[in-house]
């Protein structure tokens, strides 16, 4: 399935600016050349904002970002299984945005917002490595991993993977393992967990981080 948008980046900030929401959280997902975040290359980033207004939250579909990073030396023997998974072929990699421009655009889009991802360590490591190599610095944004948050809020589910959580809550994904679709699925999971999050007390990003840290005590 061809994804024309992978050949360019687009950032769509909220119409009224970040101040339109009391808080703006950004759900992130990446695509990479492999499964080793310490060695493989960052191919693409997708992001989608969740606007938090008091005890309510909504997914802001118009507040999104997508980019594929140009790869200066696409491998001569690409991992075909990996390409079939995320759909970013060698041609799309060659036609992507220059890494520096892509990462600076991503930083502008974030506008200081904290970041959420499912198995966040993978996404954070790839983005941090790319920023250090290209911008000679890291992005100073806070992160939280939604997976341990979900385990704390819904321990009876017993799910581990995003697919298992999606199946439990009946979340449908247009095309799994493509960053833009996965960000929407992750954002929908956050909203499915929202009533339980509200029951814990005031809803803040710091509260999410505290819940994530509590998962270490779960069996």
């Amino acid at each position: 399935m061809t994804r024309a948008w992978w050949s360019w980046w687009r950032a769509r900030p909220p119409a009224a600016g970040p101040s339109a929401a009391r808080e703006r959280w950004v759900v992130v997902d990446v695509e990479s050349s492999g499964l080793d975040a310490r060695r493989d290359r960052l191919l693409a980033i997708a992001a989608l904002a969740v606007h938090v207004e008091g005890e309510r939250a909504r997914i802001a579909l118009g507040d999104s970002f997508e980019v594929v990073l140009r790869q200066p030396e696409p491998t001569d023997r690409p991992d075909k299984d990996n390409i079939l998974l995320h759909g970013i072929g060698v041609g799309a990699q060659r036609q992507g945005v220059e890494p520096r421009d892509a990462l600076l655009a991503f930083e502008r889009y974030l506008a200081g917002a904290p970041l959420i991802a499912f198995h966040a360590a993978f996404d954070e490591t790839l983005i941090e490595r790319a920023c250090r190599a290209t911008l000679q610095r890291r992005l100073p944004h806070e992160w939280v991993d939604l997976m341990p948050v979900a385990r704390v809020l819904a321990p009876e589910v017993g799910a581990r993977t995003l697919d298992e959580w999606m199946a439990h809550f009946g979340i449908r994904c247009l095309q799994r393992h493509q960053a833009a679709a996965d960000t929407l699925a992750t954002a929908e999971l956050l909203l499915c967990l929202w009533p339980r999050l509200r029951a814990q007390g005031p809803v803040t990003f710091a509260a999410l981080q505290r819940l994530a840290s509590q998962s270490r005590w779960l069996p």
Side-chain angles (χ1 to χ4, degrees):
M1 184 175 182
T2 302
R3 294 275 177 174
W5 51 262
W6 281 120
S7 64
W8 55 293
W9 72 266
R10 66 186 184 194
R12 298 182 294 177
S19 61
R22 292 184 184 177
E23 289 192 53
R24 177 173 175 265
W25 302 347
V26 173
V27 178
V28 178
D29 191 76
V30 303
E31 300 298 349
S32 63
S33 61
L35 299 178
D36 189 340
R38 296 169 299 177
R39 296 184 180 181
D40 290 315
R41 294 171 294 164
L42 176 65
L43 299 183
I45 306 172
L48 177 64
V50 173
H51 292 180
V52 181
E53 302 176 19
E55 295 186 343
R56 302 178 62 183
R58 65 182 179 88
I59 297 170
L61 293 176
D63 186 356
S64 62
F65 177 91
E66 302 164 1
V67 67
V68 61
L69 284 72
R70 179 176 296 169
Q71 303 300 313
E73 296 179 1
T75 177
D76 293 332
R77 293 189 296 176
D79 186 333
K80 293 182 180 179
D81 291 337
N82 192 43
I83 289 176
L84 288 174
L85 195 64
H86 54 58
I88 310 173
V90 172
Q93 293 177 36
R94 287 176 175 152
Q95 296 170 12
V97 177
E98 288 294 335
R100 178 178 175 80
D101 293 338
L103 293 170
L104 288 174
F106 179 57
E107 184 177 33
R108 288 193 297 271
Y109 165 77
L110 292 178
L115 306 179
I116 300 172
F118 195 92
H119 290 310
F122 184 81
D123 305 80
E124 183 177 6
T125 300
L126 277 162
I127 291 174
E128 181 173 331
R129 282 182 53 227
C131 286
R132 287 189 182 278
T134 305
L135 305 178
Q136 287 73 55
R137 57 183 170 83
R138 64 186 298 274
L139 298 181
H141 295 73
E142 294 184 277
W143 285 80
V144 74
D145 189 344
L146 190 59
M147 190 276 285
V149 173
R151 289 189 65 213
V152 171
L153 292 175
E156 75 283 359
V157 177
R160 293 280 182 170
T161 67
L162 182 56
D163 290 295
E164 291 171 345
W165 284 105
M166 289 170 56
H168 176 78
F169 285 110
I171 298 170
R172 295 186 178 183
C173 185
L174 179 64
Q175 191 164 357
R176 278 285 282 123
H177 304 296
Q178 288 204 338
D182 286 352
T183 56
L184 179 57
T186 303
E188 289 179 346
L189 174 59
L190 174 63
L191 264 58
C192 288
L193 296 168
W194 199 260
R196 298 184 187 220
L197 181 59
R198 287 176 56 189
Q200 299 288 316
V203 180
T204 63
F205 196 79
L208 275 184
Q209 292 175 313
R210 287 194 297 271
L211 286 171
S213 68
Q214 291 176 19
S215 69
R216 71 186 69 178
W217 306 112
L218 293 178

